[in-house]
């Protein structure tokens, strides 16, 4: 989904049109015009393991075009010829096309139609349950219909809304209260909420927190999930905004919450990456190991966001995004910044895994620059802990998502919606 968001943001900034196709047969069982052999699939027991299989019908990925397969995301293909570039994003049987040359797009559609029997859905409006609205200043991506369907399914359309995804006064634990008689009910709900984080970064921490208890869900966990439904009832239309502003500055916010989990004492990593002011990538995740100090927890969080920026920098090269370097990474821990900038190992850092010190390598290579930011200006704070309603709304208001909120709260009659 990060690739999809990056592709949409890039096309909006370049003023390109993005089209959508639907493949009727999803590339399966097509006729083969050549002989194709494959190795025995792993796990299949055969008498002679040296044998290979000859295919009678095609499988996924056997059809090839003149397009280059991106090594940064296997679902992305592109073709570059001088000043002309075409991009194809594929998710099973849904395809996105965008280009700088309309004629090339027409030729590609004709070719794909000959090979696979496609349906041309026109300009992108509804893709993988992501709804795209077009405004003069950019596009808005939301999951309005998905949210409303979920509220209807769980009978929460008439409930009183609340102002924050989780109640910050309640601390959930793994082994508390009564076990649910039907754990699949809770797991299904959390799974739906997890899918919603593709456009709702405001619930990313809460969903990640509830996901820790899916193995053995209890009544307080389900009650917390219901609380999140009430929060979604407050504004089902909230999404992310992709501006037409030509600015391509990339910056990242990084935060942590030390020893946040009472059961394991592990910390939380949260980061947010913006292209200009457009949210491209975000993450709320429990750290793999226990950090012995808040400084170490922040340093591990830095490792995560810098790793994401290394990958994104390569993806932006594929998409020809002229972003300036170094990329600014903002965190509110001075001591963590000192560790990243100090090449000397000492008693307080020698136990930290060597791979985490690659932050220093990227800093010296010029990919990133590290900056301190005040805690009250830290946008990633919303990805590391449950905030009160006032602070939660204030943090959202500091993001460019506030413009999306303003546009989405206007009457639906002003927008043109189309669903596939």
């Amino acid at each position: 989904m990060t690739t999809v968001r990056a592709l949409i943001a890039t096309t909006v900034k370049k003023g390109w049109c993005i089209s959508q196709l639907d493949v009727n047969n999803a590339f399966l069982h097509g006729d083969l015009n050549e002989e194709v052999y494959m190795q025995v699939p792993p796990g299949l027991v055969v008498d002679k393991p040296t044998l290979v299989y000859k295919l009678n019908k095609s499988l996924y990925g056997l059809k090839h075009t003149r397009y280059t397969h991106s090594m940064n995301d296997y679902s992305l293909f592109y073709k570059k010829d001088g000043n002309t570039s075409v991009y194809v994003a594929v998710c099973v049987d849904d395809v996105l096309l965008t280009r700088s040359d309309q004629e090339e797009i027409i030729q590609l559609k004709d070719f794909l139609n000959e090979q696979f029997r496609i349906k041309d859905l026109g300009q992108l409006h509804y893709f993988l349950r992501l709804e795209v609205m077009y405004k003069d200043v950019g596009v808005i991506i939301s999951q309005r219909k998905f949210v409303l369907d979920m509220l209807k399914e769980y009978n929460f359309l008439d409930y009183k809304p609340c102002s924050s995804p989780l109640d910050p006064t309640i601390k959930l634990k793994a082994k508390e209260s009564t076990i649910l008689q039907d754990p699949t009910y809770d797991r299904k709900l959390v799974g739906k909420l997890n899918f919603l984080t593709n456009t709702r970064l405001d619930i990313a921490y809460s969903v990640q927190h509830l996901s820790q208890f899916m193995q053995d869900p209890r009544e307080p966990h389900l009650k917390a999930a219901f609380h999140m439904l009430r929060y979604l009832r407050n504004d089902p239309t909230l999404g992310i905004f992709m501006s037409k502003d030509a600015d391509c500055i990339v910056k990242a916010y990084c935060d942590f919450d030390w020893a946040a989990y009472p059961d394991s004492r592990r910390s939380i990593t949260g980061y947010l990456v913006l292209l200009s002011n457009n949210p491209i990538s975000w993450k709320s995740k429990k750290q793999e190991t226990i950090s012995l100090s808040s400084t170490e927890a922040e340093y591990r969080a830095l490792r995560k966001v810098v790793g994401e920026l290394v990958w994104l920098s390569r993806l932006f090269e594929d998409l020809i995004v002229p972003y300036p370097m170094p990329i600014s990474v903002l965190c509110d821990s001075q001591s963590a910044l000192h560790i990243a900038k100090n090449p000397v190992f000492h008693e307080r850092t020698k136990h930290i895994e060597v791979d985490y010190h690659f932050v220093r390598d990227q800093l010296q290579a010029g990919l990133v620059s590290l900056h301190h930011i005040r805690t009250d200006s830290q946008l990633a704070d919303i990805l590391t802990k449950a905030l009160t309603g006032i602070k939660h709304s204030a943090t959202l208001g500091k993001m460019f998502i506030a413009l999306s909120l303003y546009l989405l709260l206007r009457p639906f009659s002003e927008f043109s919606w189309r669903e596939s």
Side-chain angles (χ1 to χ4, degrees):
M1 281 298 181
T2 299
T3 301
V4 172
R5 290 190 294 262
L7 181 63
I8 295 176
T10 301
T11 56
V12 170
K13 289 182 176 295
K14 295 182 178 182
W16 296 356
C17 178
I18 186 166
S19 304
Q20 182 179 355
L21 305 176
D22 180 73
V23 182
N24 292 336
N25 60 2
F27 310 104
L28 273 178
H29 306 148
D31 294 331
L32 289 175
N33 299 321
E34 60 279 322
E35 289 188 354
V36 178
Y37 295 89
M38 61 177 290
Q39 293 180 344
V40 178
L44 181 62
V45 180
V46 294
D47 295 334
K48 298 181 180 180
T50 57
L51 293 178
V52 295
Y53 284 145
K54 178 183 178 182
L55 297 184
N56 296 322
K57 294 288 184 176
S58 68
L59 296 175
Y60 290 105
L62 289 180
K63 296 286 186 179
H64 292 285
T65 65
R66 297 167 296 165
Y67 284 68
T68 301
H69 206 169
S70 173
M71 299 305 297
N72 301 299
D73 190 328
Y74 285 173
S75 66
L76 181 66
F77 300 81
Y78 59 85
K79 177 183 177 183
K80 301 175 184 177
D81 185 9
N83 295 327
T84 301
S85 54
V86 183
Y87 295 93
V88 182
V90 180
C91 183
V92 189
D93 60 345
D94 291 300
V95 181
L96 295 183
L97 300 178
T98 186
R99 82 293 174 255
S100 59
D101 182 7
Q102 182 64 33
E103 182 178 351
E104 177 68 24
I105 285 291
I106 295 175
Q107 295 176 359
L108 178 59
K109 287 182 179 180
D110 292 339
F111 171 78
L112 292 177
N113 191 45
E114 293 175 358
Q115 300 291 326
F116 309 118
R117 291 177 53 206
I118 64 170
K119 182 188 298 182
D120 189 350
L121 301 178
Q123 189 178 27
L124 173 64
H125 283 276
Y126 195 79
F127 180 76
L128 300 179
R129 297 191 179 183
L130 306 184
E131 303 175 50
V132 181
M133 291 191 303
Y134 295 88
K135 300 294 291 182
D136 293 337
V137 291
V139 302
I140 302 168
I141 308 175
S142 73
Q143 291 170 276
R144 177 192 63 95
K145 184 178 184 299
F146 182 80
V147 175
L148 293 175
D149 289 344
M150 183 166 55
L151 293 175
K152 181 179 179 180
E153 178 182 355
Y154 290 92
N155 299 315
F156 268 78
L157 283 173
D158 297 326
Y159 275 64
K160 182 180 179 180
C162 55
S163 57
S164 62
L166 284 181
D167 187 344
T169 63
I170 297 178
K171 302 298 182 182
L172 298 176
K173 295 183 180 180
K175 304 295 181 181
E176 63 175 344
S177 190
T178 307
I179 301 176
L180 294 178
Q181 293 183 352
D182 182 13
T184 59
Y185 185 81
D186 177 81
R187 293 166 184 164
K188 180 181 177 181
L189 175 55
V190 175
K192 287 178 176 288
L193 293 170
N194 185 57
F195 180 74
L196 188 57
T197 60
N198 290 322
T199 59
R200 296 290 298 258
L201 61 89
D202 55 322
I203 66 170
Y205 164 75
S206 304
V207 174
Q208 176 272 142
H209 189 55
L210 291 179
S211 298
Q212 306 302 318
F213 312 110
M214 291 182 67
Q215 183 176 358
D216 185 23
R218 308 292 178 105
E219 287 185 358
H221 309 147
L222 181 60
K223 186 177 179 180
F226 286 159
H227 181 93
M228 201 180 311
L229 289 177
R230 291 177 54 201
Y231 169 75
L232 296 174
R233 174 66 181 85
N234 186 50
D235 183 14
T237 64
L238 187 63
I240 55 177
F241 180 74
M242 301 298 184
S243 171
K244 285 186 176 180
D245 184 2
D247 181 15
C248 291
I249 296 177
V250 181
K251 58 183 175 182
Y253 293 83
C254 176
D255 200 13
F256 74 104
D257 191 16
W258 182 44
Y261 284 97
D263 298 309
S264 63
R265 309 312 298 175
R266 295 189 185 182
S267 305
I268 303 276
T269 290
Y271 66 76
L272 170 65
V273 181
L274 304 175
L275 175 62
S276 181
N277 286 315
N278 304 339
I280 296 296
S281 177
W282 55 84
K283 178 74 72 176
S284 178
K285 186 175 179 62
K286 182 173 68 174
Q287 293 185 359
E288 290 85 355
T289 58
I290 298 175
S291 296
L292 301 183
S293 66
S294 60
T295 298
E296 182 182 338
E298 177 76 344
Y299 189 53
R300 294 179 186 276
L302 274 175
R303 161 67 176 84
K304 287 296 183 182
V305 71
V306 172
E308 181 75 358
L309 290 174
V310 169
W311 173 74
L312 277 174
S313 65
R314 296 168 181 165
L315 181 65
F316 287 147
E317 290 179 3
D318 288 343
L319 299 176
I320 317 180
V321 178
Y323 65 95
M325 292 179 59
I327 299 172
S328 297
V329 179
L330 303 112
C331 71
D332 53 13
S333 173
Q334 289 277 21
S335 53
L337 296 181
H338 291 320
I339 292 178
K341 296 176 181 178
N342 182 9
V344 178
F345 289 84
H346 48 74
E347 291 295 327
R348 295 185 179 181
T349 61
K350 66 181 183 180
H351 66 283
I352 300 177
E353 294 90 336
V354 174
D355 65 321
Y356 280 88
H357 295 296
F358 105 108
V359 174
R360 298 173 180 172
D361 297 335
Q362 301 304 323
L363 182 64
Q364 295 173 0
L367 175 67
V368 299
S369 60
L370 305 179
H371 306 274
H372 182 259
I373 188 174
R374 296 189 310 174
T375 302
D376 57 2
S377 299
Q378 176 58 271
L379 299 186
D381 191 40
I382 201 173
L383 298 168
T384 60
K385 59 182 69 71
L387 305 176
T388 61
I390 295 177
K391 191 172 182 180
H392 182 85
S393 300
T395 305
L396 282 182
K398 295 173 185 177
M399 302 181 188
F400 205 50
I401 197 173
L403 180 55
S404 173
L405 176 63
Y406 163 73
L407 290 172
L408 286 165
L409 287 178
R410 297 170 66 180
F412 287 133
S413 58
E414 299 185 21
F415 303 115
S416 175
W417 292 89
R418 188 177 72 181
E419 297 171 359
S420 173

